[in-house]
Amino acid sequence: MMRFTLPRDIYYGKGSLEQLKNLKGKRAVLALGGGSMKKFGFVDKALEYLKEAGIEVRLIEGIEPDPSVETVFKGAEVMKEFQPDWIIAMGGGSPIDAAKAMWVFYEHPETTFDDIKDPFTIPPLRNKATFIAIPSTSGTATEVTAFSVITDYKTEIKYPLADFNITPDVAIVDSELAETMPAKLTAHTGMDALTHAIEAYVATLHSPFTDPLALQAIEMIDEYLLKSYDGDSEAREQMHYSQCLAGMAFSNALLGITHSMAHKTGAVFHIPHGCANAIYLPYIIDFNKKDALDRYAKIAKRLGLSGTTDDELVDSLTSLIKELNKKMSIPSTLKEYGIDEEEFKAKVDMISERAIADACTGSNPRQLNKDEMKKIFECVYYGNKVDF
Ligand code: FE
Protein backbone atom coordinates (compact mmCIF):
# COMPACT_ATOMS: atom_id res chain seq x y z
CA MET A 1 0.00 0.00 0.00
CA MET A 2 1.24 3.49 -0.87
CA ARG A 3 0.32 6.82 0.62
CA PHE A 4 -0.02 10.29 -0.92
CA THR A 5 -0.40 13.13 1.57
CA LEU A 6 -0.82 16.87 1.10
CA PRO A 7 -2.15 19.73 3.25
CA ARG A 8 -5.92 19.84 3.54
CA ASP A 9 -6.03 23.36 2.07
CA ILE A 10 -3.72 25.43 -0.07
CA TYR A 11 -4.61 29.11 -0.39
CA TYR A 12 -2.70 30.85 -3.14
CA GLY A 13 -2.59 34.13 -5.02
CA LYS A 14 -1.37 37.61 -4.25
CA GLY A 15 -2.88 38.76 -0.96
CA SER A 16 -3.99 35.27 0.15
CA LEU A 17 -2.38 35.97 3.53
CA GLU A 18 -5.75 37.45 4.42
CA GLN A 19 -7.06 33.91 4.89
CA LEU A 20 -5.70 34.33 8.45
CA LYS A 21 -8.70 36.48 9.32
CA ASN A 22 -11.02 33.52 8.73
CA LEU A 23 -9.35 31.25 11.30
CA LYS A 24 -11.38 29.85 14.16
CA GLY A 25 -9.52 29.43 17.41
CA LYS A 26 -8.26 31.00 20.64
CA ARG A 27 -4.48 31.21 20.62
CA ALA A 28 -1.80 31.10 17.94
CA VAL A 29 1.97 31.21 18.01
CA LEU A 30 3.53 32.95 15.04
CA ALA A 31 7.01 31.56 14.36
CA LEU A 32 9.34 33.87 12.45
CA GLY A 33 12.90 34.02 11.15
CA GLY A 34 15.43 36.81 11.16
CA GLY A 35 13.23 39.86 10.66
CA SER A 36 12.60 40.34 6.93
CA MET A 37 8.90 39.57 7.31
CA LYS A 38 8.67 42.25 10.00
CA LYS A 39 10.68 44.72 7.94
CA PHE A 40 8.41 44.35 4.94
CA GLY A 41 5.23 44.69 6.99
CA PHE A 42 3.94 41.13 6.68
CA VAL A 43 4.07 40.45 10.42
CA ASP A 44 1.91 43.50 11.12
CA LYS A 45 -0.49 42.39 8.40
CA ALA A 46 -0.71 38.87 9.83
CA LEU A 47 -1.25 40.22 13.34
CA GLU A 48 -4.05 42.47 12.09
CA TYR A 49 -5.81 39.57 10.40
CA LEU A 50 -5.45 37.38 13.49
CA LYS A 51 -6.82 40.19 15.65
CA GLU A 52 -9.78 40.38 13.30
CA ALA A 53 -10.26 36.64 13.83
CA GLY A 54 -10.24 37.22 17.60
CA ILE A 55 -7.12 35.12 18.13
CA GLU A 56 -4.53 35.92 20.79
CA VAL A 57 -0.98 35.70 19.42
CA ARG A 58 2.46 35.00 20.87
CA LEU A 59 5.53 35.49 18.67
CA ILE A 60 8.48 33.13 18.45
CA GLU A 61 11.06 35.35 16.77
CA GLY A 62 14.60 35.14 15.51
CA ILE A 63 14.68 31.53 14.32
CA GLU A 64 18.12 31.27 12.70
CA PRO A 65 18.94 29.88 9.24
CA ASP A 66 19.57 26.12 9.59
CA PRO A 67 17.70 26.01 12.91
CA SER A 68 19.30 24.12 15.78
CA VAL A 69 17.97 21.47 18.12
CA GLU A 70 18.20 24.06 20.91
CA THR A 71 16.02 26.56 19.04
CA VAL A 72 13.43 23.84 18.55
CA PHE A 73 13.29 23.02 22.26
CA LYS A 74 13.14 26.71 23.23
CA GLY A 75 10.16 27.22 20.92
CA ALA A 76 8.43 24.12 22.24
CA GLU A 77 8.74 25.58 25.76
CA VAL A 78 6.95 28.77 24.62
CA MET A 79 4.20 26.61 23.14
CA LYS A 80 3.85 24.51 26.29
CA GLU A 81 3.37 27.66 28.33
CA PHE A 82 1.04 29.45 25.89
CA GLN A 83 -0.99 26.39 24.75
CA PRO A 84 -1.78 27.53 21.18
CA ASP A 85 -4.40 25.79 19.07
CA TRP A 86 -2.77 27.16 15.92
CA ILE A 87 0.90 27.09 15.03
CA ILE A 88 1.59 29.57 12.25
CA ALA A 89 5.04 29.65 10.71
CA MET A 90 5.90 32.42 8.29
CA GLY A 91 9.17 33.03 6.44
CA GLY A 92 11.84 30.99 4.69
CA GLY A 93 12.33 27.28 5.09
CA SER A 94 14.02 27.67 8.47
CA PRO A 95 11.23 29.08 10.67
CA ILE A 96 8.73 26.69 9.11
CA ASP A 97 10.99 23.66 9.58
CA ALA A 98 11.78 24.70 13.16
CA ALA A 99 8.10 25.22 14.00
CA LYS A 100 7.23 21.76 12.67
CA ALA A 101 9.73 20.20 15.06
CA MET A 102 8.57 22.46 17.94
CA TRP A 103 5.05 21.18 17.27
CA VAL A 104 6.20 17.60 17.91
CA PHE A 105 7.74 18.44 21.31
CA TYR A 106 4.78 20.66 22.24
CA GLU A 107 2.35 17.81 21.69
CA HIS A 108 4.69 15.13 23.06
CA PRO A 109 6.86 16.67 25.82
CA GLU A 110 8.23 13.24 26.77
CA THR A 111 9.70 12.69 23.29
CA THR A 112 13.44 13.23 22.70
CA PHE A 113 15.15 14.36 19.50
CA ASP A 114 16.72 10.91 19.21
CA ASP A 115 13.24 9.34 19.19
CA ILE A 116 12.27 11.11 15.95
CA LYS A 117 15.54 11.15 13.97
CA ASP A 118 14.57 8.19 11.82
CA PRO A 119 11.94 8.53 9.07
CA PHE A 120 8.34 7.88 10.06
CA THR A 121 8.90 7.82 13.81
CA ILE A 122 7.03 11.03 14.71
CA PRO A 123 3.98 10.31 16.87
CA PRO A 124 0.50 11.52 15.79
CA LEU A 125 -0.03 15.28 16.14
CA ARG A 126 -3.09 17.58 16.06
CA ASN A 127 -4.34 16.80 19.54
CA LYS A 128 -3.32 20.28 20.67
CA ALA A 129 -2.78 22.36 17.55
CA THR A 130 -3.02 22.49 13.77
CA PHE A 131 -0.35 23.99 11.56
CA ILE A 132 -0.29 26.77 8.96
CA ALA A 133 2.80 27.40 6.86
CA ILE A 134 3.32 30.63 4.94
CA PRO A 135 6.51 30.56 2.83
CA SER A 136 8.39 33.73 1.90
CA THR A 137 10.96 32.01 -0.32
CA SER A 138 10.29 29.96 -3.43
CA GLY A 139 12.22 26.75 -2.95
CA THR A 140 11.99 24.45 0.03
CA ALA A 141 8.22 23.94 -0.27
CA THR A 142 8.23 23.00 3.37
CA GLU A 143 4.67 24.44 3.47
CA VAL A 144 3.44 21.25 1.79
CA THR A 145 6.04 18.64 2.73
CA ALA A 146 6.51 15.99 5.38
CA PHE A 147 10.06 17.21 6.09
CA SER A 148 11.93 19.45 8.46
CA VAL A 149 15.70 19.89 8.47
CA ILE A 150 17.17 20.51 11.92
CA THR A 151 20.90 20.92 12.58
CA ASP A 152 22.83 19.46 15.48
CA TYR A 153 25.73 21.92 15.71
CA LYS A 154 27.67 19.77 18.16
CA THR A 155 28.06 16.98 15.62
CA GLU A 156 27.69 19.22 12.50
CA ILE A 157 24.93 16.91 11.25
CA LYS A 158 21.74 18.04 9.54
CA TYR A 159 18.80 15.78 10.30
CA PRO A 160 16.05 15.66 7.70
CA LEU A 161 13.08 14.71 9.88
CA ALA A 162 10.47 12.97 7.76
CA ASP A 163 6.91 11.99 8.61
CA PHE A 164 3.49 12.76 7.15
CA ASN A 165 2.42 13.79 10.67
CA ILE A 166 4.36 17.04 10.16
CA THR A 167 2.84 17.83 6.76
CA PRO A 168 1.13 21.18 7.45
CA ASP A 169 -2.68 21.35 7.58
CA VAL A 170 -2.85 24.60 5.66
CA ALA A 171 -0.43 26.29 3.27
CA ILE A 172 -0.79 29.93 2.28
CA VAL A 173 1.19 30.47 -0.91
CA ASP A 174 1.09 34.25 -1.27
CA SER A 175 3.71 35.44 -3.75
CA GLU A 176 3.71 38.98 -2.33
CA LEU A 177 5.91 37.60 0.45
CA ALA A 178 8.40 36.20 -2.06
CA GLU A 179 8.74 39.42 -4.05
CA THR A 180 11.22 40.73 -1.53
CA MET A 181 13.75 37.92 -2.10
CA PRO A 182 17.20 39.15 -3.16
CA ALA A 183 18.46 37.82 -6.52
CA LYS A 184 20.96 35.37 -5.02
CA LEU A 185 18.33 33.80 -2.79
CA THR A 186 15.99 33.59 -5.79
CA ALA A 187 18.69 31.70 -7.67
CA HIS A 188 19.50 29.27 -4.87
CA THR A 189 15.90 28.54 -3.85
CA GLY A 190 14.85 28.22 -7.48
CA MET A 191 17.55 25.64 -8.16
CA ASP A 192 16.53 23.83 -4.98
CA ALA A 193 12.99 23.62 -6.38
CA LEU A 194 14.26 22.35 -9.73
CA THR A 195 16.31 19.70 -7.91
CA HIS A 196 13.23 18.65 -5.92
CA ALA A 197 11.19 18.19 -9.06
CA ILE A 198 13.90 16.32 -11.01
CA GLU A 199 14.86 14.08 -8.09
CA ALA A 200 11.19 13.31 -7.36
CA TYR A 201 10.58 12.41 -10.99
CA VAL A 202 13.38 9.82 -11.05
CA ALA A 203 13.09 8.64 -7.42
CA THR A 204 12.28 4.98 -6.79
CA LEU A 205 9.02 5.99 -5.12
CA HIS A 206 7.76 8.16 -7.99
CA SER A 207 4.16 7.38 -8.92
CA PRO A 208 1.30 8.41 -11.21
CA PHE A 209 0.31 10.78 -8.39
CA THR A 210 3.67 12.55 -8.18
CA ASP A 211 4.85 12.51 -11.83
CA PRO A 212 2.44 15.16 -13.17
CA LEU A 213 3.31 17.51 -10.32
CA ALA A 214 7.05 17.06 -10.89
CA LEU A 215 6.86 17.57 -14.65
CA GLN A 216 4.62 20.62 -14.37
CA ALA A 217 7.02 22.12 -11.83
CA ILE A 218 10.05 21.47 -14.07
CA GLU A 219 8.33 23.07 -17.05
CA MET A 220 7.35 26.16 -15.07
CA ILE A 221 10.78 26.53 -13.47
CA ASP A 222 12.38 26.34 -16.91
CA GLU A 223 10.03 29.07 -18.07
CA TYR A 224 10.14 31.41 -15.07
CA LEU A 225 13.31 31.00 -12.99
CA LEU A 226 15.59 33.38 -14.92
CA LYS A 227 12.83 35.99 -15.24
CA SER A 228 12.17 35.68 -11.53
CA TYR A 229 15.91 36.07 -10.88
CA ASP A 230 15.73 39.32 -12.88
CA GLY A 231 12.94 40.50 -10.57
CA ASP A 232 9.91 40.04 -12.83
CA SER A 233 6.87 40.06 -10.54
CA GLU A 234 4.71 37.67 -12.54
CA ALA A 235 7.61 35.22 -12.82
CA ARG A 236 8.11 35.43 -9.05
CA GLU A 237 4.46 34.47 -8.60
CA GLN A 238 4.76 31.51 -10.98
CA MET A 239 7.98 30.36 -9.28
CA HIS A 240 6.19 30.48 -5.93
CA TYR A 241 3.59 28.06 -7.32
CA SER A 242 6.03 25.82 -9.18
CA GLN A 243 8.22 25.26 -6.11
CA CYS A 244 5.03 24.30 -4.26
CA LEU A 245 4.10 21.76 -6.97
CA ALA A 246 7.63 20.34 -6.77
CA GLY A 247 7.15 20.05 -3.01
CA MET A 248 3.93 18.09 -3.40
CA ALA A 249 5.81 15.70 -5.68
CA PHE A 250 8.90 15.17 -3.55
CA SER A 251 7.07 15.00 -0.24
CA ASN A 252 5.52 11.80 -1.58
CA ALA A 253 8.11 10.47 -4.05
CA LEU A 254 11.11 11.49 -1.91
CA LEU A 255 14.45 12.68 -3.26
CA GLY A 256 17.90 11.36 -4.18
CA ILE A 257 21.61 11.74 -3.60
CA THR A 258 21.87 15.34 -4.81
CA HIS A 259 20.09 16.13 -1.57
CA SER A 260 22.07 13.58 0.47
CA MET A 261 25.25 15.37 -0.60
CA ALA A 262 23.81 18.87 -0.10
CA HIS A 263 22.64 18.01 3.42
CA LYS A 264 26.05 16.80 4.50
CA THR A 265 28.25 19.42 2.82
CA GLY A 266 25.82 22.15 3.91
CA ALA A 267 26.64 21.49 7.54
CA VAL A 268 30.38 20.90 7.05
CA PHE A 269 31.32 23.51 4.39
CA HIS A 270 28.42 25.93 4.99
CA ILE A 271 27.21 25.95 1.39
CA PRO A 272 23.62 27.25 1.10
CA HIS A 273 21.30 24.31 0.46
CA GLY A 274 20.00 25.37 -2.96
CA CYS A 275 23.45 26.37 -4.15
CA ALA A 276 24.85 22.96 -3.20
CA ASN A 277 22.01 21.20 -5.03
CA ALA A 278 22.58 23.36 -8.10
CA ILE A 279 26.27 22.44 -8.16
CA TYR A 280 25.69 18.68 -7.66
CA LEU A 281 22.64 18.13 -9.87
CA PRO A 282 24.31 17.80 -13.33
CA TYR A 283 26.96 15.41 -11.92
CA ILE A 284 24.27 13.28 -10.29
CA ILE A 285 22.27 13.05 -13.50
CA ASP A 286 25.43 11.73 -15.20
CA PHE A 287 25.82 9.17 -12.41
CA ASN A 288 22.15 8.15 -12.21
CA LYS A 289 21.52 7.89 -15.94
CA LYS A 290 22.85 4.33 -15.96
CA ASP A 291 19.64 3.37 -14.15
CA ALA A 292 17.24 6.20 -15.01
CA LEU A 293 18.14 7.29 -18.53
CA ASP A 294 14.58 7.06 -19.87
CA ARG A 295 13.17 9.11 -16.99
CA TYR A 296 15.63 11.97 -17.50
CA ALA A 297 15.00 11.76 -21.25
CA LYS A 298 11.26 12.19 -20.62
CA ILE A 299 11.99 15.38 -18.72
CA ALA A 300 14.11 16.64 -21.62
CA LYS A 301 11.31 15.80 -24.08
CA ARG A 302 8.76 17.64 -21.97
CA LEU A 303 11.01 20.71 -22.12
CA GLY A 304 11.38 20.35 -25.89
CA LEU A 305 15.16 19.94 -25.66
CA SER A 306 17.20 18.71 -28.59
CA GLY A 307 18.39 15.14 -29.13
CA THR A 308 17.36 12.08 -31.09
CA THR A 309 18.55 9.45 -28.59
CA ASP A 310 17.91 9.29 -24.86
CA ASP A 311 21.61 9.96 -24.27
CA GLU A 312 21.53 13.13 -26.35
CA LEU A 313 18.35 14.28 -24.66
CA VAL A 314 19.86 13.80 -21.21
CA ASP A 315 23.01 15.66 -22.27
CA SER A 316 20.75 18.54 -23.31
CA LEU A 317 19.15 18.45 -19.86
CA THR A 318 22.48 18.64 -18.02
CA SER A 319 23.59 21.46 -20.36
CA LEU A 320 20.41 23.36 -19.54
CA ILE A 321 21.08 23.05 -15.80
CA LYS A 322 24.70 24.15 -16.19
CA GLU A 323 23.54 27.10 -18.28
CA LEU A 324 21.00 28.13 -15.62
CA ASN A 325 23.74 27.97 -12.98
CA LYS A 326 26.08 30.06 -15.08
CA LYS A 327 23.47 32.73 -15.79
CA MET A 328 22.77 33.02 -12.06
CA SER A 329 26.46 33.09 -11.01
CA ILE A 330 26.35 29.69 -9.31
CA PRO A 331 29.76 27.97 -9.42
CA SER A 332 30.16 24.69 -11.29
CA THR A 333 32.58 22.98 -8.87
CA LEU A 334 33.26 22.87 -5.14
CA LYS A 335 36.72 24.27 -5.83
CA GLU A 336 35.22 27.24 -7.64
CA TYR A 337 32.85 27.70 -4.71
CA GLY A 338 35.93 28.31 -2.59
CA ILE A 339 36.31 25.13 -0.55
CA ASP A 340 39.97 24.76 0.41
CA GLU A 341 41.59 21.73 -1.25
CA GLU A 342 43.30 20.46 1.90
CA GLU A 343 40.09 20.79 3.89
CA PHE A 344 38.19 18.94 1.17
CA LYS A 345 40.71 16.10 1.12
CA ALA A 346 40.64 15.86 4.90
CA LYS A 347 36.86 15.67 5.05
CA VAL A 348 35.80 13.84 1.87
CA ASP A 349 35.75 10.39 3.50
CA MET A 350 33.62 11.61 6.36
CA ILE A 351 31.10 13.48 4.18
CA SER A 352 30.89 10.53 1.76
CA GLU A 353 30.05 8.20 4.61
CA ARG A 354 27.46 10.59 5.98
CA ALA A 355 25.92 11.18 2.55
CA ILE A 356 25.48 7.42 2.05
CA ALA A 357 23.67 7.24 5.40
CA ASP A 358 21.39 10.22 4.57
CA ALA A 359 17.65 9.55 4.45
CA CYS A 360 17.49 10.68 0.80
CA THR A 361 19.92 8.02 -0.47
CA GLY A 362 17.44 5.15 -0.24
CA SER A 363 15.11 6.57 -2.90
CA ASN A 364 17.86 7.46 -5.36
CA PRO A 365 17.37 5.56 -8.64
CA ARG A 366 20.92 4.15 -8.56
CA GLN A 367 22.36 2.66 -5.40
CA LEU A 368 26.00 3.25 -4.56
CA ASN A 369 28.69 2.56 -2.00
CA LYS A 370 30.94 4.92 -0.09
CA ASP A 371 33.79 4.69 -2.61
CA GLU A 372 31.48 5.68 -5.47
CA MET A 373 30.12 8.56 -3.40
CA LYS A 374 33.67 9.73 -2.74
CA LYS A 375 34.46 9.53 -6.47
CA ILE A 376 31.42 11.70 -7.22
CA PHE A 377 32.52 14.26 -4.63
CA GLU A 378 35.98 14.35 -6.23
CA CYS A 379 34.44 14.89 -9.67
CA VAL A 380 32.36 17.76 -8.26
CA TYR A 381 35.38 19.27 -6.54
CA TYR A 382 37.60 19.34 -9.62
CA GLY A 383 34.91 19.57 -12.30
CA ASN A 384 35.56 16.14 -13.87
CA LYS A 385 32.84 14.32 -15.76
CA VAL A 386 31.14 11.47 -13.90
CA ASP A 387 31.54 8.53 -16.28
CA PHE A 388 31.39 5.48 -14.05
FE1 FE B 1 15.91 20.88 -1.00
Side-chain angles (χ1 to χ4, degrees), residues 139-140 149 192-193 195-196 199 250 255 259 262-263 273-274 277:
T140 71
V149 182
D192 186 27
T195 309
H196 293 155
E199 291 213 285
F250 90 80
L255 294 165
H259 267 78
H263 289 148
H273 175 72
N277 278 324

PDB file of all heavy atoms in Angstrom, residues 139-140 149 192-193 195-196 199 250 255 259 262-263 273-274 277, ligand 1:
ATOM      1  N   GLY A 139      11.291  27.857  -2.746  1.00  0.00           N
ATOM      2  CA  GLY A 139      12.216  26.749  -2.954  1.00  0.00           C
ATOM      3  C   GLY A 139      11.955  25.523  -2.121  1.00  0.00           C
ATOM      4  O   GLY A 139      11.675  24.459  -2.652  1.00  0.00           O
ATOM      5  N   THR A 140      12.033  25.643  -0.807  1.00  0.00           N
ATOM      6  CA  THR A 140      11.994  24.446   0.034  1.00  0.00           C
ATOM      7  C   THR A 140      10.658  23.727  -0.042  1.00  0.00           C
ATOM      8  O   THR A 140      10.590  22.527   0.134  1.00  0.00           O
ATOM      9  CB  THR A 140      12.222  24.774   1.515  1.00  0.00           C
ATOM     10  OG1 THR A 140      11.066  25.452   2.010  1.00  0.00           O
ATOM     11  CG2 THR A 140      13.439  25.625   1.711  1.00  0.00           C
ATOM     12  N   VAL A 149      14.257  20.118   8.303  1.00  0.00           N
ATOM     13  CA  VAL A 149      15.700  19.892   8.475  1.00  0.00           C
ATOM     14  C   VAL A 149      16.183  20.656   9.709  1.00  0.00           C
ATOM     15  O   VAL A 149      16.075  21.882   9.774  1.00  0.00           O
ATOM     16  CB  VAL A 149      16.494  20.330   7.225  1.00  0.00           C
ATOM     17  CG1 VAL A 149      17.980  20.027   7.416  1.00  0.00           C
ATOM     18  CG2 VAL A 149      15.974  19.612   5.981  1.00  0.00           C
ATOM     19  N   ASP A 192      16.975  24.842  -5.940  1.00  0.00           N
ATOM     20  CA  ASP A 192      16.528  23.825  -4.976  1.00  0.00           C
ATOM     21  C   ASP A 192      15.209  23.219  -5.473  1.00  0.00           C
ATOM     22  O   ASP A 192      15.043  21.996  -5.500  1.00  0.00           O
ATOM     23  CB  ASP A 192      16.356  24.474  -3.594  1.00  0.00           C
ATOM     24  CG  ASP A 192      16.042  23.475  -2.503  1.00  0.00           C
ATOM     25  OD1 ASP A 192      16.439  22.290  -2.634  1.00  0.00           O
ATOM     26  OD2 ASP A 192      15.412  23.862  -1.496  1.00  0.00           O
ATOM     27  N   ALA A 193      14.294  24.093  -5.891  1.00  0.00           N
ATOM     28  CA  ALA A 193      12.991  23.622  -6.376  1.00  0.00           C
ATOM     29  C   ALA A 193      13.153  22.732  -7.616  1.00  0.00           C
ATOM     30  O   ALA A 193      12.506  21.689  -7.744  1.00  0.00           O
ATOM     31  CB  ALA A 193      12.085  24.812  -6.691  1.00  0.00           C
ATOM     32  N   THR A 195      15.745  20.966  -8.371  1.00  0.00           N
ATOM     33  CA  THR A 195      16.314  19.698  -7.913  1.00  0.00           C
ATOM     34  C   THR A 195      15.229  18.822  -7.281  1.00  0.00           C
ATOM     35  O   THR A 195      15.190  17.609  -7.508  1.00  0.00           O
ATOM     36  CB  THR A 195      17.456  19.958  -6.900  1.00  0.00           C
ATOM     37  OG1 THR A 195      18.371  20.893  -7.478  1.00  0.00           O
ATOM     38  CG2 THR A 195      18.193  18.679  -6.563  1.00  0.00           C
ATOM     39  N   HIS A 196      14.338  19.433  -6.506  1.00  0.00           N
ATOM     40  CA  HIS A 196      13.233  18.655  -5.917  1.00  0.00           C
ATOM     41  C   HIS A 196      12.423  17.961  -7.004  1.00  0.00           C
ATOM     42  O   HIS A 196      12.096  16.784  -6.911  1.00  0.00           O
ATOM     43  CB  HIS A 196      12.280  19.569  -5.133  1.00  0.00           C
ATOM     44  CG  HIS A 196      12.900  20.154  -3.909  1.00  0.00           C
ATOM     45  ND1 HIS A 196      12.463  21.335  -3.356  1.00  0.00           N
ATOM     46  CD2 HIS A 196      13.924  19.720  -3.133  1.00  0.00           C
ATOM     47  CE1 HIS A 196      13.206  21.604  -2.282  1.00  0.00           C
ATOM     48  NE2 HIS A 196      14.095  20.637  -2.137  1.00  0.00           N
ATOM     49  N   GLU A 199      14.591  15.262  -8.923  1.00  0.00           N
ATOM     50  CA  GLU A 199      14.864  14.076  -8.090  1.00  0.00           C
ATOM     51  C   GLU A 199      13.578  13.293  -7.820  1.00  0.00           C
ATOM     52  O   GLU A 199      13.586  12.063  -7.808  1.00  0.00           O
ATOM     53  CB  GLU A 199      15.537  14.488  -6.772  1.00  0.00           C
ATOM     54  CG  GLU A 199      16.948  15.005  -6.972  1.00  0.00           C
ATOM     55  CD  GLU A 199      17.898  14.681  -5.823  1.00  0.00           C
ATOM     56  OE1 GLU A 199      17.780  15.333  -4.771  1.00  0.00           O
ATOM     57  OE2 GLU A 199      18.748  13.775  -5.987  1.00  0.00           O
ATOM     58  N   PHE A 250       7.803  15.821  -4.278  1.00  0.00           N
ATOM     59  CA  PHE A 250       8.902  15.165  -3.546  1.00  0.00           C
ATOM     60  C   PHE A 250       8.529  14.775  -2.131  1.00  0.00           C
ATOM     61  O   PHE A 250       9.132  13.868  -1.552  1.00  0.00           O
ATOM     62  CB  PHE A 250      10.191  15.989  -3.599  1.00  0.00           C
ATOM     63  CG  PHE A 250      10.421  16.999  -2.507  1.00  0.00           C
ATOM     64  CD1 PHE A 250      10.892  16.613  -1.257  1.00  0.00           C
ATOM     65  CD2 PHE A 250      10.210  18.348  -2.738  1.00  0.00           C
ATOM     66  CE1 PHE A 250      11.144  17.550  -0.256  1.00  0.00           C
ATOM     67  CE2 PHE A 250      10.457  19.284  -1.740  1.00  0.00           C
ATOM     68  CZ  PHE A 250      10.919  18.894  -0.498  1.00  0.00           C
ATOM     69  N   LEU A 255      13.411  12.021  -2.464  1.00  0.00           N
ATOM     70  CA  LEU A 255      14.455  12.677  -3.255  1.00  0.00           C
ATOM     71  C   LEU A 255      15.574  11.702  -3.585  1.00  0.00           C
ATOM     72  O   LEU A 255      15.350  10.497  -3.635  1.00  0.00           O
ATOM     73  CB  LEU A 255      14.986  13.880  -2.469  1.00  0.00           C
ATOM     74  CG  LEU A 255      13.964  15.013  -2.266  1.00  0.00           C
ATOM     75  CD1 LEU A 255      14.417  15.994  -1.194  1.00  0.00           C
ATOM     76  CD2 LEU A 255      13.729  15.763  -3.578  1.00  0.00           C
ATOM     77  N   HIS A 259      20.438  15.616  -2.889  1.00  0.00           N
ATOM     78  CA  HIS A 259      20.090  16.132  -1.567  1.00  0.00           C
ATOM     79  C   HIS A 259      20.917  15.503  -0.445  1.00  0.00           C
ATOM     80  O   HIS A 259      21.266  16.190   0.512  1.00  0.00           O
ATOM     81  CB  HIS A 259      18.588  15.962  -1.300  1.00  0.00           C
ATOM     82  CG  HIS A 259      17.814  17.176  -1.695  1.00  0.00           C
ATOM     83  ND1 HIS A 259      17.514  17.448  -2.994  1.00  0.00           N
ATOM     84  CD2 HIS A 259      17.348  18.215  -0.954  1.00  0.00           C
ATOM     85  CE1 HIS A 259      16.865  18.609  -3.044  1.00  0.00           C
ATOM     86  NE2 HIS A 259      16.755  19.096  -1.824  1.00  0.00           N
ATOM     87  N   ALA A 262      24.031  17.476  -0.528  1.00  0.00           N
ATOM     88  CA  ALA A 262      23.812  18.868  -0.097  1.00  0.00           C
ATOM     89  C   ALA A 262      23.604  18.952   1.413  1.00  0.00           C
ATOM     90  O   ALA A 262      24.104  19.872   2.062  1.00  0.00           O
ATOM     91  CB  ALA A 262      22.616  19.461  -0.839  1.00  0.00           C
ATOM     92  N   HIS A 263      22.858  17.992   1.966  1.00  0.00           N
ATOM     93  CA  HIS A 263      22.640  18.009   3.420  1.00  0.00           C
ATOM     94  C   HIS A 263      23.970  17.932   4.165  1.00  0.00           C
ATOM     95  O   HIS A 263      24.205  18.663   5.124  1.00  0.00           O
ATOM     96  CB  HIS A 263      21.774  16.812   3.857  1.00  0.00           C
ATOM     97  CG  HIS A 263      20.347  16.922   3.434  1.00  0.00           C
ATOM     98  ND1 HIS A 263      19.570  15.831   3.126  1.00  0.00           N
ATOM     99  CD2 HIS A 263      19.547  18.004   3.266  1.00  0.00           C
ATOM    100  CE1 HIS A 263      18.359  16.233   2.778  1.00  0.00           C
ATOM    101  NE2 HIS A 263      18.322  17.542   2.859  1.00  0.00           N
ATOM    102  N   HIS A 273      21.913  25.549   0.938  1.00  0.00           N
ATOM    103  CA  HIS A 273      21.303  24.312   0.455  1.00  0.00           C
ATOM    104  C   HIS A 273      21.030  24.307  -1.060  1.00  0.00           C
ATOM    105  O   HIS A 273      21.425  23.379  -1.769  1.00  0.00           O
ATOM    106  CB  HIS A 273      20.003  24.077   1.241  1.00  0.00           C
ATOM    107  CG  HIS A 273      19.217  22.913   0.767  1.00  0.00           C
ATOM    108  ND1 HIS A 273      19.627  21.619   0.996  1.00  0.00           N
ATOM    109  CD2 HIS A 273      18.065  22.830   0.065  1.00  0.00           C
ATOM    110  CE1 HIS A 273      18.741  20.791   0.453  1.00  0.00           C
ATOM    111  NE2 HIS A 273      17.791  21.500  -0.110  1.00  0.00           N
ATOM    112  N   GLY A 274      20.361  25.340  -1.535  1.00  0.00           N
ATOM    113  CA  GLY A 274      19.996  25.371  -2.955  1.00  0.00           C
ATOM    114  C   GLY A 274      21.217  25.484  -3.856  1.00  0.00           C
ATOM    115  O   GLY A 274      21.250  24.914  -4.953  1.00  0.00           O
ATOM    116  N   ASN A 277      22.786  22.030  -4.096  1.00  0.00           N
ATOM    117  CA  ASN A 277      22.009  21.202  -5.030  1.00  0.00           C
ATOM    118  C   ASN A 277      22.311  21.575  -6.481  1.00  0.00           C
ATOM    119  O   ASN A 277      22.466  20.708  -7.338  1.00  0.00           O
ATOM    120  CB  ASN A 277      20.507  21.381  -4.784  1.00  0.00           C
ATOM    121  CG  ASN A 277      20.014  20.526  -3.636  1.00  0.00           C
ATOM    122  OD1 ASN A 277      20.482  19.409  -3.442  1.00  0.00           O
ATOM    123  ND2 ASN A 277      19.069  21.043  -2.883  1.00  0.00           N
TER     124      ASN A 277
HETATM  125 FE    FE B   1      15.911  20.881  -0.997  1.00  0.00          FE
END
